[in-house]
């Protein structure tokens, strides 16, 4: 067999993880990578509208498949992708970010090139892109095989992005050494445990559980990131513990599971009774490690006594003041499934669909939109949730059994959802991809619609048109000009972007929404619905709530 080039080998090795798409934008310094995509079998080039969109799309793809590849060009391309890659770092997704750079011959001759600052510093961008990754390497023919193994191992161990730079000359030179053939992601043991720590941690957790009278569990998105979503569900089902999710973890647990009780977020919990159940528990088993940001905890109103909290993190466990280290989360969950004694009785939870309000010619509102959406989601579907007002509604909405959800509540970069839904759609092999976005968020990345049409994904998209950055009006005083949006005829976009056979309409009344939802059910294709939402819904929170939420006031003396 002909020796592969550095670029071909790199792509071949990454594809062995089970990745079949590469999201990116080409560029001259990255041609060795771009060309190699055409030469490596099993890998499809996906041309995003820009590098930020490509990074978001890779993020969406990785949420379904476990890992993704993104490629950009030197400087201008990679810098545009950084916001997206940093979001993937926050949300613990192994994205392999491949960038091309000027050849070593140019660098060593001290020649000036484009995509630079008029000087000969060729490492400047490596430092910036590297900061969005957990591991990085400059690949050469000589180090490529070893370095790739190190980088893949570390990115999977930490479940975070990796940054790989290949110069235009090294990319086309033959790789030196004996190639490695890797395994698919699902067969890779990503973290190892020290047996003594693992046994002690598991025994301590089970001891605490067996003496607890009314424990609850929280399952976090980290379990999905390590491919442990099913294992976490199996544990909850066997242990029979009432289980809640925090907003950032929406979609992590099948909400039809009898043990699922609802959303916990301090004062923003989905009901007072869920808040009470979690806060009055004598043990909170946190599987994955919740991240108590203000938006995940109702402005830090969570009340989880550290002494009652048992946290199973990626590779360490905390039980009160005790910490166990080198305890791989998959080992901990597997051992717990084997050894846990189920709690007796039936978990009490009330699972109600949102009430249907409004009818006929009534103008649409959030109150009439979400209940109707909720009733159309089916097992196997994935709901992609944008940051903004819609996130506050969708996180609280009970999802039908088998429906997954993906959001970016921690990083919260608006515009993420449109390309991420594209990535989710490219990754899914069955079930529909639904996406809800506000109009302001959509404006940042809506050119990815053309890409969706080109690659024939079939999402169902709802753009909530209130003409505003609405949530900003809620958290600041009403009426700032900077929250008003340019008005766009959204429902005309799919046609303008060349999306063929898309069902695209604007709906302003309950009857119009119901009609289009019925059509979507029968339509084997993409749908794009512009939903008119009154801007009066975005009323400001009381001033004192805003001041205290942002900690704006000087604390009183004493
Ligand atoms: C990249 C980025 N820029 C700015 C913000 C600040 N921001 C958060 S939500 C939001 C408004 C979202 O408006 P829209 O999508 O229309 O949703 P609405 O609340 O109106 O339903 C803005 C500007 C952000 N989170 N991310
Ligand atoms: Mg809006």
């Amino acid at each position: 067999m002909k020796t592969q080039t550095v670029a071909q080998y790199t792509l071949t090795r990454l594809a062995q993880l089970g990745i079949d798409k590469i999201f990116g934008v080409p560029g001259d310094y990255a041609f060795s990578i771009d060309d190699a995509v055409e030469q490596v079998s099993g890998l499809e080039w996906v041309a995003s509208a820009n590098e930020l969109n490509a990074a978001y799309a890779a993020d969406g793809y990785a949420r379904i498949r476990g890992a993704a590849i993104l490629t950009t060009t030197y400087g201008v391309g990679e810098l545009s992708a950084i916001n997206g890659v940093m979001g993937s770092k926050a949300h613990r997704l192994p994205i392999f970010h491949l960038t091309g750079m000027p050849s070593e011959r140019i660098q060593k001759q001290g020649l000036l090139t484009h995509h630079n600052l008029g000087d000969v510093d060729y490492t400047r961008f490596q430092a910036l892109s590297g900061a969005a990754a957990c591991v990085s390497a400059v690949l050469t023919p000589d180090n490529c095989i070893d370095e790739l193994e190190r980088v893949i191992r570390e990115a999977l161990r930490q479940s975070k992005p990796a940054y790989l730079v290949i110069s235009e000359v090294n990319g086309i030179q033959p790789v030196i050494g004996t190639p490695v053939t890797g395994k698919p992601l699902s067969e890779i043991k990503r973290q190892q445990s020290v047996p003594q720590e693992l046994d002690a941690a598991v025994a301590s957790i089970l001891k605490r559980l067996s003496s607890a009278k009314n424990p609850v569990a929280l399952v976090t998105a980290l379990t999905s990131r390590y491919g442990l979503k099913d294992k976490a569900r199996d544990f909850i089902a066997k242990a029979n513990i009432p289980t809640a999710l925090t907003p950032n973890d929406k979609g992590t647990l099948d909400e039809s599971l009898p043990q699922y009780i609802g959303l916990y977020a301090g004062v923003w919990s989905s009901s007072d009774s869920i808040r009470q159940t979690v806060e009055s528990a004598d043990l909170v088993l946190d599987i994955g490690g919740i991240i108590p940001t203000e938006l995940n905890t109702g402005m830090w109103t969570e009340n989880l006594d550290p002494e009652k909290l048992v946290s199973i993190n990626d590779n360490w466990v905390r039980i009160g003041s005790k910490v166990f280290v080198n305890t791989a989360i998959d080992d901990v969950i597997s051992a717990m499934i084997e050894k846990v004694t189920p709690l007796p009785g039936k978990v009490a939870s009330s699972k109600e669909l949102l009430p249907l309000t409004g009818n006929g010619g009534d103008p649409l509102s959030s109150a009439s939109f979400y209940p109707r959406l909720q009733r159309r989601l089916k097992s196997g579907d994935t709901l992609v949730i944008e940051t903004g007002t819609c996130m506050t509604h969708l996180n609280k909405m009970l999802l039908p059994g088998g429906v997954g959800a993906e959001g970016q509540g921690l990083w919260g970069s608006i515009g993420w959802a449109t390309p991420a839904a594209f990535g989710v759609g490219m990754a899914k092999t069955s079930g529909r991809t639904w996406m809800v976005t506000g109009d302001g968020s959509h404006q940042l990345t809506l050119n990815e619609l053309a890409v969706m049409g080109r690659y024939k994904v079939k999402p169902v998209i709802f753009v909530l048109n209130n003409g505003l950055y609405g949530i900003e009006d809620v958290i600041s005083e009403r009426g700032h000009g900077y929250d008003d949006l340019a008005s766009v005829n959204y429902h005309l976009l799919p046609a303008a972007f060349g999306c063929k056979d898309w069902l695209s309409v604007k709906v302003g009344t309950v009857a119009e929404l119901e009609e289009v939802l019925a059509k979507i059910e029968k339509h084997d294709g993409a749908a794009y619905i512009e939903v008119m939402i009154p801007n009066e819904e975005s009323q400001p929170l009381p001033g004192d709530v805003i001041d205290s939420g942002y900690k704006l006031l000087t604390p009183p003396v004493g």
Side-chain angles (χ1 to χ4, degrees), residues 83 387-390 412-414 437-442 444 466 468-472 485:
N83 176 10
T387 294
T389 308
C390 65
S413 183
I414 60 167
T437 177
D439 46 359
S441 304
H442 195 45
L444 273 81
N466 60 2
L468 286 177
Y469 288 133
I471 194 84
E472 299 291 344
L485 293 169

mmCIF file of all heavy atoms in Angstrom, residues 83 387-390 412-414 437-442 444 466 468-472 485, ligand 1:
data_model
loop_
_atom_site.group_PDB
_atom_site.id
_atom_site.type_symbol
_atom_site.label_atom_id
_atom_site.label_comp_id
_atom_site.label_asym_id
_atom_site.label_seq_id
_atom_site.Cartn_x
_atom_site.Cartn_y
_atom_site.Cartn_z
ATOM 1 N N ASN A 83 -14.682 30.779 19.133
ATOM 2 C CA ASN A 83 -15.854 30.864 20.021
ATOM 3 C C ASN A 83 -16.587 29.516 20.051
ATOM 4 O O ASN A 83 -16.968 29.025 21.114
ATOM 5 C CB ASN A 83 -16.768 31.996 19.536
ATOM 6 C CG ASN A 83 -18.064 32.109 20.333
ATOM 7 O OD1 ASN A 83 -18.221 31.473 21.372
ATOM 8 N ND2 ASN A 83 -18.990 32.905 19.839
ATOM 9 N N THR A 387 -30.118 29.534 23.071
ATOM 10 C CA THR A 387 -30.102 30.421 24.245
ATOM 11 C C THR A 387 -31.063 31.584 23.991
ATOM 12 O O THR A 387 -31.184 32.048 22.863
ATOM 13 C CB THR A 387 -28.660 30.946 24.453
ATOM 14 O OG1 THR A 387 -27.838 29.839 24.804
ATOM 15 C CG2 THR A 387 -28.582 31.990 25.538
ATOM 16 N N GLY A 388 -31.740 32.054 25.045
ATOM 17 C CA GLY A 388 -32.698 33.152 24.884
ATOM 18 C C GLY A 388 -33.976 32.779 25.610
ATOM 19 O O GLY A 388 -34.016 31.807 26.377
ATOM 20 N N THR A 389 -35.060 33.505 25.347
ATOM 21 C CA THR A 389 -36.312 33.236 26.042
ATOM 22 C C THR A 389 -36.772 31.800 25.831
ATOM 23 O O THR A 389 -37.284 31.158 26.748
ATOM 24 C CB THR A 389 -37.412 34.202 25.538
ATOM 25 O OG1 THR A 389 -36.903 35.535 25.637
ATOM 26 C CG2 THR A 389 -38.672 34.080 26.361
ATOM 27 N N CYS A 390 -36.573 31.270 24.623
ATOM 28 C CA CYS A 390 -37.064 29.912 24.337
ATOM 29 C C CYS A 390 -36.417 28.875 25.256
ATOM 30 O O CYS A 390 -37.041 27.889 25.629
ATOM 31 C CB CYS A 390 -36.890 29.549 22.868
ATOM 32 S SG CYS A 390 -35.190 29.430 22.305
ATOM 33 N N GLY A 412 -23.546 29.462 26.208
ATOM 34 C CA GLY A 412 -24.569 30.463 25.899
ATOM 35 C C GLY A 412 -24.232 31.429 24.782
ATOM 36 O O GLY A 412 -24.531 32.620 24.881
ATOM 37 N N SER A 413 -23.672 30.940 23.701
ATOM 38 C CA SER A 413 -23.346 31.820 22.583
ATOM 39 C C SER A 413 -24.502 31.793 21.584
ATOM 40 O O SER A 413 -24.746 30.769 20.935
ATOM 41 C CB SER A 413 -22.054 31.325 21.922
ATOM 42 O OG SER A 413 -21.686 32.189 20.881
ATOM 43 N N ILE A 414 -25.228 32.906 21.487
ATOM 44 C CA ILE A 414 -26.398 32.883 20.616
ATOM 45 C C ILE A 414 -25.958 32.699 19.163
ATOM 46 O O ILE A 414 -24.891 33.160 18.750
ATOM 47 C CB ILE A 414 -27.298 34.131 20.779
ATOM 48 C CG1 ILE A 414 -26.540 35.419 20.467
ATOM 49 C CG2 ILE A 414 -27.921 34.183 22.158
ATOM 50 C CD1 ILE A 414 -27.463 36.628 20.307
ATOM 51 N N THR A 437 -35.454 28.594 17.917
ATOM 52 C CA THR A 437 -34.530 29.725 18.117
ATOM 53 C C THR A 437 -35.299 31.039 18.155
ATOM 54 O O THR A 437 -36.348 31.173 17.516
ATOM 55 C CB THR A 437 -33.476 29.788 16.980
ATOM 56 O OG1 THR A 437 -32.642 30.948 17.181
ATOM 57 C CG2 THR A 437 -34.110 29.882 15.600
ATOM 58 N N GLY A 438 -34.761 31.992 18.884
ATOM 59 C CA GLY A 438 -35.267 33.354 18.787
ATOM 60 C C GLY A 438 -34.748 33.967 17.494
ATOM 61 O O GLY A 438 -33.777 33.481 16.898
ATOM 62 N N ASP A 439 -35.412 35.060 17.076
ATOM 63 C CA ASP A 439 -35.007 35.708 15.820
ATOM 64 C C ASP A 439 -33.610 36.329 15.912
ATOM 65 O O ASP A 439 -32.806 36.244 14.977
ATOM 66 C CB ASP A 439 -36.050 36.749 15.374
ATOM 67 C CG ASP A 439 -36.533 37.668 16.501
ATOM 68 O OD1 ASP A 439 -36.079 37.510 17.660
ATOM 69 O OD2 ASP A 439 -37.388 38.538 16.228
ATOM 70 N N GLY A 440 -33.307 36.924 17.060
ATOM 71 C CA GLY A 440 -32.000 37.576 17.211
ATOM 72 C C GLY A 440 -30.867 36.568 17.108
ATOM 73 O O GLY A 440 -29.864 36.807 16.413
ATOM 74 N N SER A 441 -31.007 35.461 17.770
ATOM 75 C CA SER A 441 -29.971 34.427 17.716
ATOM 76 C C SER A 441 -29.811 33.917 16.293
ATOM 77 O O SER A 441 -28.700 33.736 15.789
ATOM 78 C CB SER A 441 -30.353 33.248 18.615
ATOM 79 O OG SER A 441 -30.582 33.692 19.921
ATOM 80 N N HIS A 442 -30.946 33.693 15.642
ATOM 81 C CA HIS A 442 -30.935 33.133 14.289
ATOM 82 C C HIS A 442 -30.174 34.053 13.330
ATOM 83 O O HIS A 442 -29.490 33.597 12.417
ATOM 84 C CB HIS A 442 -32.390 32.955 13.849
ATOM 85 C CG HIS A 442 -32.578 32.089 12.646
ATOM 86 N ND1 HIS A 442 -31.927 30.885 12.471
ATOM 87 C CD2 HIS A 442 -33.364 32.246 11.540
ATOM 88 C CE1 HIS A 442 -32.305 30.347 11.317
ATOM 89 N NE2 HIS A 442 -33.173 31.156 10.737
ATOM 90 N N LEU A 444 -27.574 35.609 13.660
ATOM 91 C CA LEU A 444 -26.113 35.466 13.672
ATOM 92 C C LEU A 444 -25.600 34.401 12.710
ATOM 93 O O LEU A 444 -24.481 34.505 12.213
ATOM 94 C CB LEU A 444 -25.617 35.125 15.094
ATOM 95 C CG LEU A 444 -25.356 36.326 16.004
ATOM 96 C CD1 LEU A 444 -26.641 36.850 16.612
ATOM 97 C CD2 LEU A 444 -24.376 35.980 17.105
ATOM 98 N N ASN A 466 -40.069 37.974 17.564
ATOM 99 C CA ASN A 466 -40.618 39.044 18.405
ATOM 100 C C ASN A 466 -39.927 40.372 18.113
ATOM 101 O O ASN A 466 -40.136 41.357 18.824
ATOM 102 C CB ASN A 466 -40.526 38.683 19.901
ATOM 103 C CG ASN A 466 -39.089 38.453 20.358
ATOM 104 O OD1 ASN A 466 -38.153 38.596 19.575
ATOM 105 N ND2 ASN A 466 -38.910 38.105 21.618
ATOM 106 N N LEU A 468 -37.035 41.318 18.629
ATOM 107 C CA LEU A 468 -36.202 41.797 19.744
ATOM 108 C C LEU A 468 -35.165 40.779 20.186
ATOM 109 O O LEU A 468 -35.379 39.578 20.049
ATOM 110 C CB LEU A 468 -37.071 41.936 21.004
ATOM 111 C CG LEU A 468 -38.060 43.021 21.217
ATOM 112 C CD1 LEU A 468 -38.758 42.749 22.535
ATOM 113 C CD2 LEU A 468 -37.355 44.364 21.269
ATOM 114 N N TYR A 469 -34.134 41.266 20.804
ATOM 115 C CA TYR A 469 -33.324 40.422 21.683
ATOM 116 C C TYR A 469 -34.120 40.359 22.998
ATOM 117 O O TYR A 469 -33.816 41.050 23.970
ATOM 118 C CB TYR A 469 -31.971 41.058 21.956
ATOM 119 C CG TYR A 469 -30.987 41.056 20.803
ATOM 120 C CD1 TYR A 469 -30.289 42.209 20.467
ATOM 121 C CD2 TYR A 469 -30.712 39.893 20.099
ATOM 122 C CE1 TYR A 469 -29.346 42.208 19.434
ATOM 123 C CE2 TYR A 469 -29.781 39.884 19.065
ATOM 124 C CZ TYR A 469 -29.110 41.039 18.742
ATOM 125 O OH TYR A 469 -28.181 41.039 17.727
ATOM 126 N N GLY A 470 -35.189 39.564 22.984
ATOM 127 C CA GLY A 470 -36.196 39.647 24.037
ATOM 128 C C GLY A 470 -35.675 39.408 25.432
ATOM 129 O O GLY A 470 -36.002 40.155 26.369
ATOM 130 N N ILE A 471 -34.859 38.395 25.600
ATOM 131 C CA ILE A 471 -34.409 38.055 26.963
ATOM 132 C C ILE A 471 -33.578 39.192 27.547
ATOM 133 O O ILE A 471 -33.553 39.413 28.752
ATOM 134 C CB ILE A 471 -33.623 36.719 26.967
ATOM 135 C CG1 ILE A 471 -33.446 36.154 28.386
ATOM 136 C CG2 ILE A 471 -32.273 36.851 26.300
ATOM 137 C CD1 ILE A 471 -34.609 35.367 28.867
ATOM 138 N N GLU A 472 -32.932 39.951 26.660
ATOM 139 C CA GLU A 472 -32.138 41.090 27.140
ATOM 140 C C GLU A 472 -33.073 42.174 27.689
ATOM 141 O O GLU A 472 -32.727 42.889 28.626
ATOM 142 C CB GLU A 472 -31.271 41.670 26.004
ATOM 143 C CG GLU A 472 -30.265 40.703 25.429
ATOM 144 C CD GLU A 472 -29.136 40.361 26.398
ATOM 145 O OE1 GLU A 472 -28.958 41.080 27.385
ATOM 146 O OE2 GLU A 472 -28.456 39.354 26.166
ATOM 147 N N LEU A 485 -34.356 44.555 16.675
ATOM 148 C CA LEU A 485 -33.699 43.856 15.567
ATOM 149 C C LEU A 485 -34.120 44.407 14.210
ATOM 150 O O LEU A 485 -35.237 44.905 14.064
ATOM 151 C CB LEU A 485 -34.085 42.374 15.597
ATOM 152 C CG LEU A 485 -33.568 41.558 16.769
ATOM 153 C CD1 LEU A 485 -34.251 40.195 16.791
ATOM 154 C CD2 LEU A 485 -32.061 41.389 16.655
HETATM 155 C C1 LIG B 1 -22.595 35.539 20.820
HETATM 156 C C2 LIG B 1 -23.483 36.219 21.803
HETATM 157 N N1 LIG B 1 -23.731 37.528 21.698
HETATM 158 C C3 LIG B 1 -24.535 38.143 22.580
HETATM 159 C C4 LIG B 1 -25.126 37.444 23.601
HETATM 160 C C5 LIG B 1 -26.057 38.142 24.592
HETATM 161 N N2 LIG B 1 -27.427 37.646 24.393
HETATM 162 C C6 LIG B 1 -27.935 36.641 25.129
HETATM 163 S S1 LIG B 1 -29.517 36.278 24.749
HETATM 164 C C7 LIG B 1 -29.573 37.497 23.590
HETATM 165 C C8 LIG B 1 -30.844 37.801 22.855
HETATM 166 C C9 LIG B 1 -31.488 36.643 22.194
HETATM 167 O O1 LIG B 1 -32.549 37.136 21.403
HETATM 168 P P1 LIG B 1 -33.494 36.211 20.564
HETATM 169 O O2 LIG B 1 -32.706 35.108 19.977
HETATM 170 O O3 LIG B 1 -34.280 37.029 19.652
HETATM 171 O O4 LIG B 1 -34.388 35.520 21.671
HETATM 172 P P2 LIG B 1 -35.653 36.117 22.461
HETATM 173 O O5 LIG B 1 -35.205 36.219 23.873
HETATM 174 O O6 LIG B 1 -36.030 37.413 21.832
HETATM 175 O O7 LIG B 1 -36.730 35.099 22.280
HETATM 176 C C10 LIG B 1 -28.353 38.174 23.514
HETATM 177 C C11 LIG B 1 -28.064 39.300 22.580
HETATM 178 C C12 LIG B 1 -24.826 36.061 23.685
HETATM 179 N N3 LIG B 1 -25.309 35.285 24.640
HETATM 180 N N4 LIG B 1 -24.038 35.474 22.763
#
